[in-house]
Each structure stands twice: as C-alpha cells, then as structure tokens.
Amino acid sequence: MAASSSLQLAAHRLPSPSSSAVRLPPDARLGIPATPSRRLALLHLGSAMHHEQLFRIKRSRLIRKVKGIEARAAGKTTRQASTTISKEEALEWVKKDQRRLLHVVYHVGDLDKTIKFYTECLGMKLLRKRDIPEERYTNAFLGYGPEDSHFVVELTYNYGVDKYDIGTAFGHFGIAVEDVTKTVDLIKAKGGKVIREPDHVKGAKTVIAFIEDPDGYKFKLLERGPTPEPLCQVMLHVGDLDRAINFYEKAFGMELLCKRDNPECKYTIAMMGYGPEDKNTVLELSYNYGVKKYDKGNAYAQIAIGTDDVYKTAEAIKLCGGKITREPGPLPGINTKITACLDPDGWKTVLVDNIDFAKELE
C-alpha cells in the first residue's frame, strides 16, 4: 500500500479558478477513490429481485436492509467513540498520545520542474512518486529521510492545472542548512529566485535568507549545524495568536516552544511542536498586528499528524473548538483510519492512525 494513501485521500485537490482543464467529481477533488461496494450492493439487489418468489422479500425491504448494513458498518465505530469518552478523558488523552508531524501537502503546476529544484537546489531526495490517471493527479514525496522518521513534503499535481493562488495566509517553509551563503549561490546558479540575501536575524547570530521555488512558495534558509530534521518549519498566519496557541496545545498536544514579539515590525510568532526546534519540525504561527483574516488561496492544502487513536483525537478536537470535516474512521478501499479538522483560523489538519500509517509504508 502506498504511504500517500491516507493523506492524499483526505487532501483537497482544487484546480485554479482560471483553469477549465480539470473538472474533477466531488469525490475525486477530495482524493477519495470511487468504491464499487455500493454498486455491488445494488447488483446483488437486482439478482435478488429475479428470485423474489423463492425468498419472498419485497424490493423495498431488501433496499432498506442493504442500506442499514452499510450505515451500521460505516457509523458503528464513530458512534461508539463519541459516546464512550468524557471531556476529561479526551483532554487527558491528548497529553498521552504519541504524535508526530508526518507530512505537508500542497499543489504545484509543474511537478518535474519542482522536483528538480528541490533535489538539486535544496538537497532533498525524491522518496516516491505515483500517478493516478483515473483521478487525474500525480503525487511526489520528497524529504531528507524516510517517511517513518522524517517530516516530508507531498507535492500534488492536477492534470492541466499549471498555476495556483498561494494567497496571503501561508507564510513559508523552513530549511536548515550548514552554509546559507553557499546554498543561495547554488540556487542563483540554477536560476532560482532569491528574495532576501543572506543576513543575520536582527538581534541574533542566526544567518537566514529567503528564496522562492518555481511555484512561488517561500522557503526560509536557516544556518545551523547538522540536524536530524533539515525540513524544520512550516509557517502559517493566524488572526488570534493566543487562541491558536491554546488550540494547538489542547487539541493537538503540541508544546509552546517559544514566543517572540517584534513590536518594531508589528508581529508576534509562536513556535509549536513535539520537540526542540533544532531536532524536530515545528509549526510557526505568526500574528501580524491588527490582521484578523487572510486569503488562503487554493495552493496550500494541509499538514498530517500521527495519532494512536483517531476517535479519541476527534473528540478532543471538538471539545477544543475545532471543526471536524471528516469523521474518524477507515478510508474507503483501505483500512487506514483518519480524521480531518479545521482549526479556529480555518487551517486544515489530518490525523492519521500511527499503526495504519506504518502498515502503509510497508
């Protein structure tokens, strides 16, 4: 089973508003493959009708029976989960859960060009690539190590869509490198776009630079020594920083690693994660003074987080003010259990069962 199943089945693959080349059906836009189970049920129904005299079952009763079986199979676990855990148990569960940032999904207009840039300029490795022609998209997973131990990017290319709107809400990705200046020189030599030359962070010794990839996603290069996780940051803008911190602590079990205010530039940031910044990927939440809402565009999709129990996790998310956009349970066609939600700022996150995800990687 491809390891991309759990995330890609949950990701929105929305074409650019200006493009008419792709018209995906609703399930395909969500990445959910068509399942024959419903059609097979109806075929069996037709067969049963040919033998009605033998079974003496009316058509209406058979339809109700088939629907009832399907409904019970789909909803049994979710109902049990929602009625067997209290508020206190749900919040306590978050503290004990084994969680890890797995990957981030976003859309690109030229997959081969982006892969070439990431591998040659940023030093990533192409881990896997798969094409799904019946749903008109291609995936590529890239990173600095295997998916079972590293945070990776999942690039999604939709057939015929060569441009997306990144919007103003997404900030940047962070890459830790040993020499920022050499990396910038390499990127320039390859024709890459540098939007901030190497320089020290104001009031600190860290050297940084900013570049853009072929689709316009910003990458911050941070000069650090050797680290087990070079893909070190995902920065998102939020409209209420304290509210966001509270949600990510309680709903996702993240730790507030640091909080820095810059009144001169009128912004405050908070680093959230599951371990120290120099060894783990962290989520950088950024608040610009007085800005409550941002345009999210249609380019960035979501982050995936591993969990030991998607049902308990979904209950905790609800209690903490998150909106569940996909009820917890196995994905159609595979056994991987997920749940998906929106945080108070509308950022999407998918929670993936740890054991199921490990099986996918096998």
Side-chain angles (χ1 to χ4, degrees), residues 202-224:
K202 189 172 183 179
K205 296 181 179 180
T206 305
V207 177
I208 66 168
F210 276 88
I211 64 168
E212 282 188 1
D213 76 357
D215 289 275
Y217 292 100
K218 293 179 176 62
F219 281 77
K220 179 169 69 175
L221 305 178
L222 301 94
E223 192 162 280
R224 290 180 179 174

Side-chain angles (χ1 to χ4, degrees), residues 36-53 55 57-67 70:
S37 61
R38 184 63 179 161
R39 294 193 295 272
L40 287 174
L42 293 176
L43 285 173
H44 288 308
L45 173 61
S47 177
M49 287 302 299
H50 288 300
H51 301 281
E52 186 174 1
Q53 292 85 353
F55 297 103
I57 300 177
K58 293 182 179 180
R59 183 183 181 91
S60 59
R61 291 179 59 192
L62 184 56
I63 291 175
R64 288 196 299 271
K65 183 176 181 180
V66 171
K67 287 184 177 180
E70 290 178 340

Side-chain angles (χ1 to χ4, degrees), residues 183-308:
T183 303
V184 166
D185 289 343
L186 173 63
I187 291 169
K188 287 180 178 179
K190 295 288 185 178
K193 183 178 180 180
V194 178
I195 57 177
R196 175 176 170 176
E197 294 289 339
D199 195 4
H200 287 88
V201 177
K202 189 172 183 179
K205 296 181 179 180
T206 305
V207 177
I208 66 168
F210 276 88
I211 64 168
E212 282 188 1
D213 76 357
D215 289 275
Y217 292 100
K218 293 179 176 62
F219 281 77
K220 179 169 69 175
L221 305 178
L222 301 94
E223 192 162 280
R224 290 180 179 174
T227 173
E229 191 58 90
L231 183 55
C232 58
Q233 293 179 357
V234 178
M235 194 272 261
L236 305 173
H237 288 103
V238 297
D240 185 326
L241 188 59
D242 290 335
R243 180 185 66 182
I245 291 171
N246 183 65
F247 178 82
Y248 280 86
E249 284 180 327
K250 292 184 177 179
F252 292 158
M254 291 186 184
E255 178 185 355
L256 175 60
L257 303 171
C258 72
K259 185 177 180 181
R260 293 192 291 267
D261 184 41
N262 189 329
E264 183 179 343
C265 297
K266 297 183 179 182
Y267 72 82
T268 308
I269 63 171
M271 297 294 189
M272 310 289 298
Y274 297 110
E277 289 183 64
D278 59 340
K279 296 180 180 179
N280 300 271
T281 303
V282 299
L283 187 63
E284 180 180 344
L285 304 178
S286 180
Y287 168 70
N288 290 318
Y289 289 9
V291 182
K292 299 297 183 181
K293 293 184 179 180
Y294 295 87
D295 173 19
K296 289 187 172 59
N298 64 350
Y300 175 89
Q302 63 203 29
I303 282 179
I305 299 175
T307 176
D308 287 338

Side-chain angles (χ1 to χ4, degrees), residues 129-157:
K129 185 178 180 181
R130 73 167 191 171
D131 184 45
I132 312 295
E134 62 271 21
E135 295 183 25
R136 299 177 61 80
Y137 73 87
T138 305
N139 287 141
F141 288 75
L142 297 98
Y144 295 99
E147 293 175 66
D148 60 355
S149 58
H150 288 73
F151 185 70
V152 306
V153 299
E154 179 182 345
L155 307 179
T156 300
Y157 168 70

Side-chain angles (χ1 to χ4, degrees), residues 89-103:
E89 290 172 330
L91 297 179
E92 186 63 29
W93 157 254
V94 174
K95 300 176 183 178
K96 299 177 180 179
D97 194 12
Q98 299 298 312
R99 300 191 178 185
R100 178 175 73 88
L101 291 172
L102 302 178
H103 36 222

